[in-house]
Amino acid sequence: MNNSDRRFIRSLSASILLLSAVLSLLIFHAPVWAEEEEDSAPLPDVPGYSQTIYGYTYTGVAQVVVIPSSITEVNNYMFYKNKSVRGVIVPASVTYVAEHAFSRCDNLRYIWFMSSSVSVSDYFIDNLPSLINISAPKDSDIYSRCVRERIPVTSSLQPCFEKKTVYLLPKDTVKMPLFNSQNAVYSSGNKKIVTVKKDGTIRAKKKGKTVITATYDSQTYTYKVVVYDKTQKNRVRQIRKSEKLSSGKLSSVEKIQSVHDWLVRNVRYDYDNMLKGKVPGSEHTSKGSLIRKLCVCDGYAYGFQKVMKSIHIPCKVVRGKVDSVTHAWNMVCVGGKWYHVDVTFDDPIIDGSNTNTVPMYKYFLKSTSYMKDHGYKFKEAKYPKCTSKKYDKKGLSGYRNTLGETVYSW
């Protein structure tokens, strides 16, 4: 596929999600088509497709594949283990995508869904190490599902970045690949402020502002990076900016959840030093969580409290024990009622590793009776009463998303 071909694809907009748009792509991308007969008869003479017990299997070598408009279902294993395909366009004719339709395609980077009415099975994608994003209409179930399961998604059919501006502190890193692209080349406007790797991962070096540029098919795409000085005040500022806590669009519960999740994804419990009994003093403070990103329970609690106070949500640090072990966590006030939040235990040590980035909600907005049932003990008279059980049964179960990653719903 040449440069003009790809530029033609990028020119598509979300407003022309019509079958004619898909048909026109065939001229430029020359994908291998399989004309399906009325009774779904085998098509042994069509190059690029073969028949299995599951139905069609694509065996071609095109990098961008447009699924034929005669196909209404992407059946099981249609693209299984295909190492050539990098992008797949699913036309409006497709109404269902079966399990493992896109499975173990090592180089598949993006999938475009042209219709908002398509439905997908629980595991329509799995084992896709190079997947950058999925594109789908914003009003579609697949778009909502991707957001819920934290799978990168956009409603754009053109190359774009997930964010227009990224806020960081020195030594922070974040991966920001160019959506809807194949092998984009990245560069930093000022390497002394921010560096960027081949996969789009950026690392902040020092205070300043710069622009990250991706070059793809002779076109350039950019986003801004703002790096603040490494102080606790600026960390709070950075979290508020990154999580859009001041936008006015989030409820109090959503703001609390956003801060809870940021800490889980970015902070590690210092398990090794805890076992040795050599935890540095700073890790018992907000500095441990907000600056070092390495702390123990009270570091999580004080960091959480500092951000809560900045957005005017009442918050307290609770000290007590869990199963006879000294521990610290938080209480927050929502709608005039107080609830327990334990960020530390919602960021568990798994198999001796402190690298977990999956937020759990087992101890998120719970009542005192719930906490006591789970081994928590504290001097109740010193703290607000947490009697509401509104959220006690919420957020307790997790499941594997379509990428095989655990997701805990709230």
Side-chain angles (χ1 to χ4, degrees), residues 68-81:
S69 62
S70 58
I71 290 178
T72 59
E73 176 180 326
V74 181
N75 54 249
N76 303 69
Y77 301 102
M78 179 175 279
F79 291 90
Y80 183 66
K81 283 188 175 181

mmCIF file with all atom_site columns, all heavy atoms in Angstrom, residues 68-81:
data_model
loop_
_atom_site.group_PDB
_atom_site.id
_atom_site.type_symbol
_atom_site.label_atom_id
_atom_site.label_alt_id
_atom_site.label_comp_id
_atom_site.label_asym_id
_atom_site.label_entity_id
_atom_site.label_seq_id
_atom_site.pdbx_PDB_ins_code
_atom_site.Cartn_x
_atom_site.Cartn_y
_atom_site.Cartn_z
_atom_site.occupancy
_atom_site.B_iso_or_equiv
_atom_site.pdbx_formal_charge
_atom_site.auth_seq_id
_atom_site.auth_comp_id
_atom_site.auth_asym_id
_atom_site.auth_atom_id
_atom_site.pdbx_PDB_model_num
ATOM 1   N N   . PRO A 1 68 ? -15.094 -7.864  3.212  1.00 0.00 ? 68 PRO A N   1
ATOM 2   C CA  . PRO A 1 68 ? -16.086 -7.752  2.134  1.00 0.00 ? 68 PRO A CA  1
ATOM 3   C C   . PRO A 1 68 ? -17.466 -7.376  2.656  1.00 0.00 ? 68 PRO A C   1
ATOM 4   O O   . PRO A 1 68 ? -17.903 -7.841  3.702  1.00 0.00 ? 68 PRO A O   1
ATOM 5   C CB  . PRO A 1 68 ? -16.096 -9.160  1.528  1.00 0.00 ? 68 PRO A CB  1
ATOM 6   C CG  . PRO A 1 68 ? -14.752 -9.716  1.843  1.00 0.00 ? 68 PRO A CG  1
ATOM 7   C CD  . PRO A 1 68 ? -14.394 -9.162  3.187  1.00 0.00 ? 68 PRO A CD  1
ATOM 8   N N   . SER A 1 69 ? -18.180 -6.539  1.907  1.00 0.00 ? 69 SER A N   1
ATOM 9   C CA  . SER A 1 69 ? -19.506 -6.096  2.316  1.00 0.00 ? 69 SER A CA  1
ATOM 10  C C   . SER A 1 69 ? -20.534 -7.211  2.267  1.00 0.00 ? 69 SER A C   1
ATOM 11  O O   . SER A 1 69 ? -21.620 -7.085  2.826  1.00 0.00 ? 69 SER A O   1
ATOM 12  C CB  . SER A 1 69 ? -19.967 -4.941  1.426  1.00 0.00 ? 69 SER A CB  1
ATOM 13  O OG  . SER A 1 69 ? -20.070 -5.364  0.077  1.00 0.00 ? 69 SER A OG  1
ATOM 14  N N   . SER A 1 70 ? -20.200 -8.313  1.601  1.00 0.00 ? 70 SER A N   1
ATOM 15  C CA  . SER A 1 70 ? -21.119 -9.458  1.557  1.00 0.00 ? 70 SER A CA  1
ATOM 16  C C   . SER A 1 70 ? -21.118 -10.235 2.865  1.00 0.00 ? 70 SER A C   1
ATOM 17  O O   . SER A 1 70 ? -21.983 -11.068 3.105  1.00 0.00 ? 70 SER A O   1
ATOM 18  C CB  . SER A 1 70 ? -20.728 -10.389 0.406  1.00 0.00 ? 70 SER A CB  1
ATOM 19  O OG  . SER A 1 70 ? -19.387 -10.827 0.558  1.00 0.00 ? 70 SER A OG  1
ATOM 20  N N   . ILE A 1 71 ? -20.145 -9.965  3.714  1.00 0.00 ? 71 ILE A N   1
ATOM 21  C CA  . ILE A 1 71 ? -20.053 -10.684 4.986  1.00 0.00 ? 71 ILE A CA  1
ATOM 22  C C   . ILE A 1 71 ? -20.808 -9.918  6.066  1.00 0.00 ? 71 ILE A C   1
ATOM 23  O O   . ILE A 1 71 ? -20.624 -8.719  6.245  1.00 0.00 ? 71 ILE A O   1
ATOM 24  C CB  . ILE A 1 71 ? -18.577 -10.865 5.391  1.00 0.00 ? 71 ILE A CB  1
ATOM 25  C CG1 . ILE A 1 71 ? -17.897 -11.866 4.446  1.00 0.00 ? 71 ILE A CG1 1
ATOM 26  C CG2 . ILE A 1 71 ? -18.449 -11.339 6.832  1.00 0.00 ? 71 ILE A CG2 1
ATOM 27  C CD1 . ILE A 1 71 ? -16.436 -12.100 4.720  1.00 0.00 ? 71 ILE A CD1 1
ATOM 28  N N   . THR A 1 72 ? -21.658 -10.617 6.781  1.00 0.00 ? 72 THR A N   1
ATOM 29  C CA  . THR A 1 72 ? -22.445 -10.006 7.858  1.00 0.00 ? 72 THR A CA  1
ATOM 30  C C   . THR A 1 72 ? -21.947 -10.406 9.238  1.00 0.00 ? 72 THR A C   1
ATOM 31  O O   . THR A 1 72 ? -22.377 -9.836  10.232 1.00 0.00 ? 72 THR A O   1
ATOM 32  C CB  . THR A 1 72 ? -23.934 -10.393 7.732  1.00 0.00 ? 72 THR A CB  1
ATOM 33  O OG1 . THR A 1 72 ? -24.054 -11.822 7.795  1.00 0.00 ? 72 THR A OG1 1
ATOM 34  C CG2 . THR A 1 72 ? -24.511 -9.893  6.410  1.00 0.00 ? 72 THR A CG2 1
ATOM 35  N N   . GLU A 1 73 ? -21.070 -11.392 9.296  1.00 0.00 ? 73 GLU A N   1
ATOM 36  C CA  . GLU A 1 73 ? -20.518 -11.816 10.584 1.00 0.00 ? 73 GLU A CA  1
ATOM 37  C C   . GLU A 1 73 ? -19.035 -12.114 10.435 1.00 0.00 ? 73 GLU A C   1
ATOM 38  O O   . GLU A 1 73 ? -18.618 -12.827 9.525  1.00 0.00 ? 73 GLU A O   1
ATOM 39  C CB  . GLU A 1 73 ? -21.236 -13.062 11.106 1.00 0.00 ? 73 GLU A CB  1
ATOM 40  C CG  . GLU A 1 73 ? -20.634 -13.607 12.388 1.00 0.00 ? 73 GLU A CG  1
ATOM 41  C CD  . GLU A 1 73 ? -21.341 -14.857 12.907 1.00 0.00 ? 73 GLU A CD  1
ATOM 42  O OE1 . GLU A 1 73 ? -22.565 -14.950 12.727 1.00 0.00 ? 73 GLU A OE1 1
ATOM 43  O OE2 . GLU A 1 73 ? -20.655 -15.740 13.481 1.00 0.00 ? 73 GLU A OE2 1
ATOM 44  N N   . VAL A 1 74 ? -18.244 -11.533 11.326 1.00 0.00 ? 74 VAL A N   1
ATOM 45  C CA  . VAL A 1 74 ? -16.825 -11.884 11.393 1.00 0.00 ? 74 VAL A CA  1
ATOM 46  C C   . VAL A 1 74 ? -16.741 -13.073 12.324 1.00 0.00 ? 74 VAL A C   1
ATOM 47  O O   . VAL A 1 74 ? -16.883 -12.951 13.537 1.00 0.00 ? 74 VAL A O   1
ATOM 48  C CB  . VAL A 1 74 ? -15.974 -10.711 11.919 1.00 0.00 ? 74 VAL A CB  1
ATOM 49  C CG1 . VAL A 1 74 ? -14.498 -11.099 11.961 1.00 0.00 ? 74 VAL A CG1 1
ATOM 50  C CG2 . VAL A 1 74 ? -16.164 -9.478  11.042 1.00 0.00 ? 74 VAL A CG2 1
ATOM 51  N N   . ASN A 1 75 ? -16.546 -14.243 11.733 1.00 0.00 ? 75 ASN A N   1
ATOM 52  C CA  . ASN A 1 75 ? -16.662 -15.473 12.523 1.00 0.00 ? 75 ASN A CA  1
ATOM 53  C C   . ASN A 1 75 ? -15.425 -15.759 13.362 1.00 0.00 ? 75 ASN A C   1
ATOM 54  O O   . ASN A 1 75 ? -14.416 -15.069 13.280 1.00 0.00 ? 75 ASN A O   1
ATOM 55  C CB  . ASN A 1 75 ? -16.974 -16.667 11.621 1.00 0.00 ? 75 ASN A CB  1
ATOM 56  C CG  . ASN A 1 75 ? -15.983 -16.820 10.478 1.00 0.00 ? 75 ASN A CG  1
ATOM 57  O OD1 . ASN A 1 75 ? -16.333 -16.606 9.324  1.00 0.00 ? 75 ASN A OD1 1
ATOM 58  N ND2 . ASN A 1 75 ? -14.738 -17.167 10.790 1.00 0.00 ? 75 ASN A ND2 1
ATOM 59  N N   . ASN A 1 76 ? -15.519 -16.786 14.199 1.00 0.00 ? 76 ASN A N   1
ATOM 60  C CA  . ASN A 1 76 ? -14.414 -17.185 15.065 1.00 0.00 ? 76 ASN A CA  1
ATOM 61  C C   . ASN A 1 76 ? -13.128 -17.379 14.269 1.00 0.00 ? 76 ASN A C   1
ATOM 62  O O   . ASN A 1 76 ? -13.131 -18.021 13.212 1.00 0.00 ? 76 ASN A O   1
ATOM 63  C CB  . ASN A 1 76 ? -14.732 -18.509 15.774 1.00 0.00 ? 76 ASN A CB  1
ATOM 64  C CG  . ASN A 1 76 ? -15.994 -18.440 16.582 1.00 0.00 ? 76 ASN A CG  1
ATOM 65  O OD1 . ASN A 1 76 ? -17.083 -18.340 16.039 1.00 0.00 ? 76 ASN A OD1 1
ATOM 66  N ND2 . ASN A 1 76 ? -15.871 -18.500 17.896 1.00 0.00 ? 76 ASN A ND2 1
ATOM 67  N N   . TYR A 1 77 ? -12.054 -16.805 14.786 1.00 0.00 ? 77 TYR A N   1
ATOM 68  C CA  . TYR A 1 77 ? -10.702 -17.032 14.261 1.00 0.00 ? 77 TYR A CA  1
ATOM 69  C C   . TYR A 1 77 ? -10.505 -16.555 12.819 1.00 0.00 ? 77 TYR A C   1
ATOM 70  O O   . TYR A 1 77 ? -9.613  -17.040 12.126 1.00 0.00 ? 77 TYR A O   1
ATOM 71  C CB  . TYR A 1 77 ? -10.337 -18.514 14.363 1.00 0.00 ? 77 TYR A CB  1
ATOM 72  C CG  . TYR A 1 77 ? -10.373 -19.045 15.765 1.00 0.00 ? 77 TYR A CG  1
ATOM 73  C CD1 . TYR A 1 77 ? -11.448 -19.798 16.207 1.00 0.00 ? 77 TYR A CD1 1
ATOM 74  C CD2 . TYR A 1 77 ? -9.353  -18.768 16.671 1.00 0.00 ? 77 TYR A CD2 1
ATOM 75  C CE1 . TYR A 1 77 ? -11.502 -20.278 17.520 1.00 0.00 ? 77 TYR A CE1 1
ATOM 76  C CE2 . TYR A 1 77 ? -9.390  -19.234 17.971 1.00 0.00 ? 77 TYR A CE2 1
ATOM 77  C CZ  . TYR A 1 77 ? -10.470 -19.986 18.393 1.00 0.00 ? 77 TYR A CZ  1
ATOM 78  O OH  . TYR A 1 77 ? -10.515 -20.456 19.681 1.00 0.00 ? 77 TYR A OH  1
ATOM 79  N N   . MET A 1 78 ? -11.298 -15.593 12.338 1.00 0.00 ? 78 MET A N   1
ATOM 80  C CA  . MET A 1 78 ? -11.146 -15.154 10.948 1.00 0.00 ? 78 MET A CA  1
ATOM 81  C C   . MET A 1 78 ? -9.736  -14.631 10.668 1.00 0.00 ? 78 MET A C   1
ATOM 82  O O   . MET A 1 78 ? -9.185  -14.862 9.599  1.00 0.00 ? 78 MET A O   1
ATOM 83  C CB  . MET A 1 78 ? -12.165 -14.078 10.597 1.00 0.00 ? 78 MET A CB  1
ATOM 84  C CG  . MET A 1 78 ? -12.019 -13.577 9.151  1.00 0.00 ? 78 MET A CG  1
ATOM 85  S SD  . MET A 1 78 ? -13.285 -12.410 8.630  1.00 0.00 ? 78 MET A SD  1
ATOM 86  C CE  . MET A 1 78 ? -14.624 -13.516 8.218  1.00 0.00 ? 78 MET A CE  1
ATOM 87  N N   . PHE A 1 79 ? -9.143  -13.929 11.652 1.00 0.00 ? 79 PHE A N   1
ATOM 88  C CA  . PHE A 1 79 ? -7.801  -13.383 11.435 1.00 0.00 ? 79 PHE A CA  1
ATOM 89  C C   . PHE A 1 79 ? -6.760  -14.054 12.333 1.00 0.00 ? 79 PHE A C   1
ATOM 90  O O   . PHE A 1 79 ? -5.697  -13.494 12.590 1.00 0.00 ? 79 PHE A O   1
ATOM 91  C CB  . PHE A 1 79 ? -7.813  -11.867 11.690 1.00 0.00 ? 79 PHE A CB  1
ATOM 92  C CG  . PHE A 1 79 ? -8.574  -11.103 10.652 1.00 0.00 ? 79 PHE A CG  1
ATOM 93  C CD1 . PHE A 1 79 ? -9.929  -10.868 10.809 1.00 0.00 ? 79 PHE A CD1 1
ATOM 94  C CD2 . PHE A 1 79 ? -7.948  -10.645 9.511  1.00 0.00 ? 79 PHE A CD2 1
ATOM 95  C CE1 . PHE A 1 79 ? -10.647 -10.166 9.853  1.00 0.00 ? 79 PHE A CE1 1
ATOM 96  C CE2 . PHE A 1 79 ? -8.657  -9.956  8.544  1.00 0.00 ? 79 PHE A CE2 1
ATOM 97  C CZ  . PHE A 1 79 ? -10.008 -9.717  8.705  1.00 0.00 ? 79 PHE A CZ  1
ATOM 98  N N   . TYR A 1 80 ? -7.040  -15.224 12.781 1.00 0.00 ? 80 TYR A N   1
ATOM 99  C CA  . TYR A 1 80 ? -6.201  -15.927 13.758 1.00 0.00 ? 80 TYR A CA  1
ATOM 100 C C   . TYR A 1 80 ? -4.756  -16.066 13.290 1.00 0.00 ? 80 TYR A C   1
ATOM 101 O O   . TYR A 1 80 ? -4.471  -16.575 12.208 1.00 0.00 ? 80 TYR A O   1
ATOM 102 C CB  . TYR A 1 80 ? -6.796  -17.302 14.023 1.00 0.00 ? 80 TYR A CB  1
ATOM 103 C CG  . TYR A 1 80 ? -6.075  -18.124 15.063 1.00 0.00 ? 80 TYR A CG  1
ATOM 104 C CD1 . TYR A 1 80 ? -6.044  -17.729 16.391 1.00 0.00 ? 80 TYR A CD1 1
ATOM 105 C CD2 . TYR A 1 80 ? -5.431  -19.308 14.712 1.00 0.00 ? 80 TYR A CD2 1
ATOM 106 C CE1 . TYR A 1 80 ? -5.402  -18.479 17.352 1.00 0.00 ? 80 TYR A CE1 1
ATOM 107 C CE2 . TYR A 1 80 ? -4.783  -20.073 15.674 1.00 0.00 ? 80 TYR A CE2 1
ATOM 108 C CZ  . TYR A 1 80 ? -4.771  -19.659 16.992 1.00 0.00 ? 80 TYR A CZ  1
ATOM 109 O OH  . TYR A 1 80 ? -4.129  -20.410 17.946 1.00 0.00 ? 80 TYR A OH  1
ATOM 110 N N   . LYS A 1 81 ? -3.832  -15.546 14.096 1.00 0.00 ? 81 LYS A N   1
ATOM 111 C CA  . LYS A 1 81 ? -2.386  -15.668 13.884 1.00 0.00 ? 81 LYS A CA  1
ATOM 112 C C   . LYS A 1 81 ? -1.884  -15.035 12.580 1.00 0.00 ? 81 LYS A C   1
ATOM 113 O O   . LYS A 1 81 ? -0.763  -15.322 12.153 1.00 0.00 ? 81 LYS A O   1
ATOM 114 C CB  . LYS A 1 81 ? -1.949  -17.139 13.940 1.00 0.00 ? 81 LYS A CB  1
ATOM 115 C CG  . LYS A 1 81 ? -1.870  -17.711 15.342 1.00 0.00 ? 81 LYS A CG  1
ATOM 116 C CD  . LYS A 1 81 ? -1.233  -19.098 15.328 1.00 0.00 ? 81 LYS A CD  1
ATOM 117 C CE  . LYS A 1 81 ? -1.041  -19.628 16.739 1.00 0.00 ? 81 LYS A CE  1
ATOM 118 N NZ  . LYS A 1 81 ? -0.395  -20.958 16.760 1.00 0.00 ? 81 LYS A NZ  1
#
